[in-house]
Amino acid sequence: MSLWPNARLPDLSGQTAVITGANSGIGYYAALEFARAGADVILACRSVERGKAALAGIEVQARGRARLELLDLADLESVRAFAARIAARQEAIDILLNNAGVMAPPTRQTTAQGFELQLGVNFLGHFLLTALLMEKLRKTRATRIIQVSSIAHRQGRMAWEDLQSERQYRAWNAYRQSKLAMLIFALELGRRAEAAGLKALSLAAHPGIAATELVRNGPGRNSLIGVLQNLAAPLIQQPGDAGAWPLILAGIDPAARQGAYYGPQGWLECRGLPGAAKAEPKALDKDAGQRLWDAAEQLTGTAFRLYP
């Protein structure tokens, strides 16, 4: 893998990065580069087999600066167990990259707690994880909490009266909603951290359209949108490692400010060098931020406190 032209990561020795979905795609590439820069990386993965394969690759290329921890975001009990293990072993966390995701299952599926799968995995699992790790995230002035959104958030809509898609399930609508929720969450967390005087930066990033397994082999690949996307791939897609660039930049940008959003700088933010991305007004809506926060606390059964 190579970084973008003239990019150079700072020395991350002594820092700890937790990355969900780090066994493949943009999560793996981000984990590899953070480990190469000296960070101790925790690969939070659902699959033991795939997690071990990713760990082996990083150990070879980054001299063993990684370890595997099992995490199933489709089960809040797994999230709680993972957070408890990390809290017991880590004094502080410098980077939390909430990257793992599910894209457009053709039929409605649910998590262990009965949530619609995409809302549950992409957003609710990460909301709970961030809440449970907040004590460790407060321990360093340079903490960065990064939510991975998508250009799909532009067409997303929060179906407040049917967040779980119980009345009507449309795969891509549910996906867009989950990614809009991730961006709203990042911005609301940033506002709350700033109001509380915390130094932690809440950021967001998106990969554009990256040629990863999530896109190539996703359940939605045979839908009309999936077929059209595959036909247009040569024009709009970029390699999977390039899709990780905005995530990496969010993790190391010395000019980062609270609530910053990163993405590719090319046509429609589909591909290109990483830089500032555009968040739609609906993601910036403070009322939506409050409403989503309240809904997530209720659904996860957890009060998200920035202080004990």
Side-chain angles (χ1 to χ4, degrees):
M1 177 188 179
S2 62
L3 293 170
W4 58 99
N6 301 317
R8 184 174 183 179
L9 269 62
D11 183 3
L12 299 180
S13 297
Q15 295 194 30
T16 298
V18 176
I19 303 177
T20 68
N23 57 275
S24 65
I26 59 176
Y28 173 79
Y29 294 123
L32 176 58
E33 290 302 328
F34 286 151
R36 280 176 167 166
D40 295 312
V41 180
I42 297 173
L43 311 179
C45 305
R46 180 175 60 88
S47 166
V48 175
E49 181 179 353
R50 298 179 69 187
K52 286 182 176 180
L55 180 62
I58 292 175
E59 287 179 335
V60 169
Q61 300 182 67
R63 300 181 182 179
R65 295 188 178 276
R67 80 170 191 261
L68 173 64
E69 290 282 353
L70 297 183
L71 170 64
D72 183 357
L73 287 159
D75 184 350
L76 297 188
E77 292 309 309
S78 175
V79 176
R80 295 182 192 281
F82 171 86
R85 293 196 306 273
I86 298 303
R89 296 183 62 177
Q90 299 297 140
E91 179 60 30
I93 298 171
D94 300 271
I95 300 171
L96 173 60
L97 178 52
N98 288 331
N99 159 77
V102 178
M103 178 187 282
T107 59
R108 186 179 184 274
Q109 300 178 33
T110 57
T111 68
Q113 285 71 37
F115 305 128
E116 187 277 316
L117 187 64
Q118 294 177 92
L119 186 74
V121 170
N122 298 357
F123 170 59
L124 291 173
H126 284 127
F127 179 91
L128 178 61
L129 178 63
T130 307
L132 296 176
L133 293 179
M134 201 64 217
E135 180 181 353
K136 299 300 179 179
L137 292 163
R138 289 194 306 267
K139 293 294 182 72
T140 171
R141 290 174 57 86
T143 289
R144 296 181 182 221
I145 306 167
I146 306 164
Q147 314 298 334
V148 176
S149 184
S150 167
I151 54 176
H153 93 273
R154 298 169 183 166
Q155 291 79 39
R157 184 182 70 84
M158 298 307 302
W160 298 114
E161 305 307 319
D162 189 26
L163 286 175
Q164 305 296 333
S165 304
E166 293 174 299
R167 299 177 188 171
Q168 182 180 56
Y169 177 75
R170 291 183 177 175
W172 288 103
N173 286 353
Y175 176 73
R176 293 167 184 143
Q177 174 182 249
S178 72
K179 288 302 181 177
L180 174 58
M182 286 293 273
L183 187 50
I184 293 174
F185 173 41
L187 297 170
E188 179 65 13
L189 177 57
R191 285 190 288 266
R192 292 178 182 235
E194 189 169 45
L198 296 183
K199 300 300 182 182
L201 288 178
S202 179
L203 310 169
H206 78 82
I209 300 180
T212 65
E213 291 182 13
L214 182 66
V215 174
R216 283 193 301 264
N217 302 321
R221 66 187 182 278
N222 294 323
S223 68
L224 177 60
I225 293 176
V227 170
L228 292 175
Q229 182 171 289
N230 287 333
L231 290 174
L235 298 176
I236 62 176
Q237 277 190 358
Q238 61 183 352
D241 56 357
W245 292 349
L247 285 62
I248 295 169
L249 181 59
I252 57 97
D253 182 9
R257 295 293 181 268
Q258 195 67 267
Y261 182 34
Y262 297 85
Q265 300 298 284
W267 181 71
L268 296 179
E269 297 182 11
C270 291
R271 59 188 297 169
L273 301 178
K278 182 180 184 299
E280 292 296 314
K282 55 193 166 187
L284 302 168
D285 187 326
K286 294 181 181 180
D287 290 339
Q290 178 69 58
R291 190 170 185 179
L292 181 66
W293 193 281
D294 291 345
E297 285 190 327
Q298 181 181 8
L299 290 168
T300 62
T302 301
F304 191 131
R305 297 187 177 92
L306 275 68
Y307 286 104

